[in-house]
Amino acid sequence: MCQLLGMNCNVPTDICFSFAGFQARGGATDVHADGWGIAFFEGRGVRVFLDPQPSASSPVAELVRSYPIRSLNVIAHIRKATQGQVTLDNTHPFQRELWGSYWIFAHNGNLLDYAPHFDGRFLPVGSTDSESAFCDLLQHLAAEFPDGPPPAEALFAALRRLAIRIGAHGPFNFLLSNGEYLFAHCSTKLTYIIRQAPFATAHLSDQDLSVDFSRLTTPADRVAVIATAPLTDNEVWHAIPPGTLLAFRHGAIETLGEATTIAGNPAAGAGSV
Amino acid sequence: MCQLLGMNCNVPTDICFSFAGFQARGGATDVHADGWGIAFFEGRGVRVFLDPQPSASSPVAELVRSYPIRSLNVIAHIRKATQGQVTLDNTHPFQRELWGSYWIFAHNGNLLDYAPHFDGRFLPVGSTDSESAFCDLLQHLAAEFPDGPPPAEALFAALRRLAIRIGAHGPFNFLLSNGEYLFAHCSTKLTYIIRQAPFATAHLSDQDLSVDFSRLTTPADRVAVIATAPLTDNEVWHAIPPGTLLAFRHGAIETLGEATTIAGNPAAGAGSV
């Protein structure tokens, strides 16, 4: 299995602090040593850094950790291979273009007996179940909305249906972004935190590193961080209930349909941190 | 206008030496300061490093220059903006997937009165003529060969027709690769060199840096380097005649149709260095 990290903000923010803890899990404090990757949306563009080496010892990860790239939407992944060899083409996150926007996808899980029929519009390049699921998702979105991006509510409803269908094959925790929304689907394990004023000091679980966010932010800033497991040990992270798709935008959870209202789970409300 | 750099080899080779000279042209020894990018194919995968900053001062370029990534096919680009703002989404090279392979494209030139009709299969994300041309190329390839990649000769013939059609709008020097072939189209200016045994010492034009290739290679190695302008000042580079499409594979020019046989130009033959 793998680990996911996502960030969605209302002002461009760098992910250096969170990435430092996440990077350590790639071969140092945890076993996810089969490559890693990170994608930063900047305006309509996206930069994807990929490395089939363990993130804990990757020179590219060292650059990402020390070079602040400010972004509204970030998706990162460290891999413990279940299906597919440890090669660059099997390294998450994956990238495609749909409706004139880039889409980025990373998956934590393992899909069994899953062989989607592809019509050729989106084809996997590597051999992971994850890239197949991404192509399957995009193929169905393109077919359902051939004239361009639908309203956010319709997009959300379609993604939720697809997540349920594909998730029937096994754990299907994923992060997906088109640069505007960051969609987070919890199938078995995914947590999040929303940091906003008043900001405090956070301390990493995986390294003895703290940051005082109040010195780096303005009162209007809002940052959602989504991760397979909490990255800090002195903040309250919220477990996303299995079977839930959340849409993050501007650092908050946006209600785009029934599915975001999770009965009996106050943690799922926006601004609940 | 911009500058192009490509490398195509028969064994995975790093491009650190050539990139050092190329990087200097991005804001130091030349005016191409509007961003840069480089794509490395590794197996079926590809890594694209993009930076809207000048390459001469980019921390990402510094990483690429010092971290040897070995690849059979590399495409790099430094930009002097003619159309489209200096933003990440307008930074070359561009990436798409077709027939289950990644395709990478970079362009030097300026296309005027060029507004291709897109059917939606490939859409530009940014606002450059270059990305439009790439989408136009891929859309026509996908439509002409809907069942998957055609034989190399048919692919070459189609690319040549498309290069002529799009090139009617203005200078259309480009590098295009699917990880197997590196296609180089000269519309106005493009040069190449094929380095093979016996290897000698090369000296950069843009920096006082030399490398003795005989110490870094085996006698079977063969490396083609394609660049807008020669990168070294003590080797013979071959100007590609305007109106020519060349297909490089395994570090040599492969004859895939009449168009690669350039009458009266002995430089176009493989192994002519």
Side-chain angles (χ1 to χ4, degrees):
Chain A
M1 303 284 265
C2 311
Q3 295 227 357
L4 297 169
L5 170 64
M7 184 181 74
N8 169 272
C9 323
N10 66 345
V11 294
T13 305
D14 79 67
I15 199 170
C16 293
F17 173 71
S18 295
F19 187 74
F22 190 65
Q23 177 194 13
R25 294 182 183 172
T29 60
D30 207 337
V31 297
H32 308 88
D34 297 333
W36 69 281
I38 188 166
F40 299 86
F41 279 95
E42 293 166 78
R44 297 184 53 73
V46 68
R47 299 199 235 199
V48 186
F49 295 88
L50 300 172
D51 208 339
Q53 291 189 43
S55 60
S57 59
S58 155
V60 186
E62 199 49 41
L63 172 84
V64 168
R65 201 170 65 78
S66 58
Y67 174 45
I69 297 178
R70 292 177 187 277
S71 172
L72 293 181
N73 282 288
V74 176
I75 291 179
H77 183 273
I78 46 180
R79 184 165 181 235
K80 175 78 183 73
T82 50
Q83 295 184 33
Q85 292 184 299
V86 180
T87 52
L88 183 61
D89 53 311
N90 288 336
T91 303
H92 307 221
F94 301 101
Q95 175 186 346
R96 293 291 188 279
E97 171 264 315
L98 171 63
W99 301 320
S101 294
Y102 292 120
W103 291 70
I104 295 289
F105 176 86
H107 169 222
N108 159 19
N110 192 26
L111 305 172
L112 298 173
D113 301 317
Y114 174 63
H117 171 76
F118 294 116
D119 64 14
R121 173 71 176 84
F122 298 95
L123 290 173
V125 173
S127 54
T128 61
D129 51 337
S130 308
E131 192 188 9
S132 284
F134 181 36
C135 293
D136 191 3
L137 280 174
L138 292 183
Q139 172 177 298
H140 279 84
L141 291 180
E144 188 167 343
F145 308 106
D147 300 325
E153 290 76 9
L155 175 62
F156 184 84
L159 282 174
R160 183 151 167 70
R161 279 196 308 275
L162 291 162
I164 291 169
R165 175 171 66 72
I166 298 171
H169 292 273
F172 191 45
N173 306 291
F174 70 76
L175 298 177
L176 172 73
S177 182
N178 59 358
E180 181 183 10
Y181 284 94
L182 196 155
F183 297 101
H185 183 254
C186 177
S187 158
T188 55
K189 191 177 179 190
L190 201 56
T191 66
Y192 75 91
I193 189 169
I194 293 175
R195 296 196 182 110
Q196 55 191 347
F199 288 97
T201 295
H203 179 264
L204 288 181
S205 313
D206 296 77
Q207 290 195 14
D208 188 13
L209 189 63
S210 292
V211 65
D212 179 359
F213 286 116
S214 69
R215 296 182 53 189
L216 303 170
T217 50
T218 71
D221 290 5
R222 199 171 49 210
V223 179
V225 179
I226 304 104
T228 298
L231 288 166
T232 55
D233 53 19
N234 68 332
E235 297 179 298
V236 178
W237 289 69
H238 304 283
I240 304 176
T244 306
L245 178 69
L246 296 180
F248 290 89
R249 189 181 182 220
H250 302 324
I253 293 172
E254 198 164 297
T255 302
L256 294 174
E258 277 180 48
T260 51
T261 310
I262 301 155
N265 177 38
S272 60
V273 175
Chain B
M1 303 287 263
C2 310
Q3 295 226 358
L4 297 170
L5 170 64
M7 184 180 75
N8 170 272
C9 323
N10 66 346
V11 293
T13 305
D14 79 67
I15 200 170
C16 293
F17 173 72
S18 295
F19 187 74
F22 190 66
Q23 177 195 13
R25 294 180 183 174
T29 61
D30 208 336
V31 297
H32 308 89
D34 297 332
W36 68 281
I38 188 166
F40 299 86
F41 279 95
E42 293 166 78
R44 298 184 53 73
V46 68
R47 302 199 234 198
V48 186
F49 294 88
L50 299 172
D51 207 338
Q53 292 189 42
S55 60
S57 58
S58 156
V60 187
E62 198 49 40
L63 172 84
V64 168
R65 200 170 66 77
S66 58
Y67 174 44
I69 297 178
R70 292 177 187 279
S71 172
L72 293 180
N73 282 288
V74 176
I75 291 180
H77 183 271
I78 46 180
R79 183 163 182 236
K80 176 78 183 75
T82 50
Q83 295 184 35
Q85 292 184 300
V86 180
T87 52
L88 183 62
D89 54 310
N90 287 336
T91 304
H92 307 223
F94 301 101
Q95 175 185 347
R96 293 290 189 277
E97 171 265 315
L98 171 62
W99 302 320
S101 294
Y102 292 120
W103 291 70
I104 295 288
F105 176 86
H107 168 221
N108 159 20
N110 192 26
L111 305 173
L112 298 173
D113 300 318
Y114 173 62
H117 171 75
F118 293 116
D119 65 14
R121 173 71 176 82
F122 298 95
L123 289 174
V125 173
S127 54
T128 61
D129 51 338
S130 307
E131 192 188 8
S132 284
F134 181 36
C135 292
D136 191 3
L137 280 173
L138 293 184
Q139 172 178 297
H140 279 85
L141 291 180
E144 188 166 342
F145 308 106
D147 300 325
E153 291 75 10
L155 176 63
F156 184 84
L159 282 174
R160 183 151 168 71
R161 280 197 307 275
L162 291 162
I164 292 169
R165 175 172 66 73
I166 298 172
H169 293 271
F172 191 44
N173 306 292
F174 71 74
L175 297 178
L176 172 73
S177 182
N178 59 358
E180 182 184 9
Y181 283 94
L182 196 154
F183 298 100
H185 183 253
C186 178
S187 159
T188 55
K189 190 177 180 190
L190 200 57
T191 66
Y192 76 91
I193 189 169
I194 292 175
R195 296 195 181 111
Q196 56 192 347
F199 289 97
T201 294
H203 180 265
L204 288 181
S205 312
D206 296 77
Q207 289 194 14
D208 188 14
L209 189 64
S210 292
V211 66
D212 180 359
F213 287 117
S214 68
R215 295 181 54 188
L216 304 170
T217 50
T218 71
D221 290 5
R222 199 171 50 210
V223 179
V225 179
I226 304 105
T228 299
L231 289 166
T232 55
D233 53 19
N234 67 334
E235 297 178 298
V236 178
W237 289 69
H238 304 283
I240 304 176
T244 305
L245 178 68
L246 296 180
F248 291 89
R249 189 182 182 219
H250 301 164
I253 294 172
E254 198 164 299
T255 303
L256 294 175
E258 277 182 46
T260 51
T261 310
I262 301 156
N265 177 36
S272 61
V273 175

